[in-house]
Amino acid sequence: MTKVKAMVTKMMLGAMTVATLMATSAGASAATVTSNVTALEMAVATTVKLDTHANTEIQPTKIHLKRVTTKAISDQVQTAVDASALNLDQQHRDRQLK
């Protein structure tokens, strides 16, 4: 039973992730503006000068990640969804008052 529950949880988190990514990309594509600019107008000249002595110093960094359970991720996603719904509801009420 726990394997089925874990599999369903993973499927739900995956579906929520896909839905979030689709909504984000849809919003980004809706926010872009196309223009009728010719290639000559878009041409940009760039000059790059490099030092003769390259900086070869390596600085290793350790990253410590905190373990996160699927329940915590699910709670965060649900909180974000609730906040978004509340915001949309508030905007709807604000429009009715105008």
Side-chain angles (χ1 to χ4, degrees), residues 36-55:
N36 296 328
V37 180
T38 63
L40 291 176
E41 292 172 334
M42 292 178 62
V44 175
T46 305
T47 303
V48 177
K49 294 183 180 181
L50 300 175
D51 291 337
T52 55
H53 299 289
N55 184 6

Side-chain angles (χ1 to χ4, degrees), residues 25-85:
S25 63
S29 64
T32 58
V33 177
T34 58
S35 61
N36 296 328
V37 180
T38 63
L40 291 176
E41 292 172 334
M42 292 178 62
V44 175
T46 305
T47 303
V48 177
K49 294 183 180 181
L50 300 175
D51 291 337
T52 55
H53 299 289
N55 184 6
T56 57
E57 182 179 337
I58 297 174
Q59 298 177 350
T61 303
K62 288 186 178 181
I63 300 174
H64 300 284
L65 300 177
K66 188 171 69 171
R67 290 192 178 269
V68 179
T69 63
T70 55
K71 173 80 171 116
I73 294 172
S74 177
D75 289 345
Q76 287 179 349
V77 169
Q78 188 60 47
T79 301
V81 168
D82 291 345
S84 178

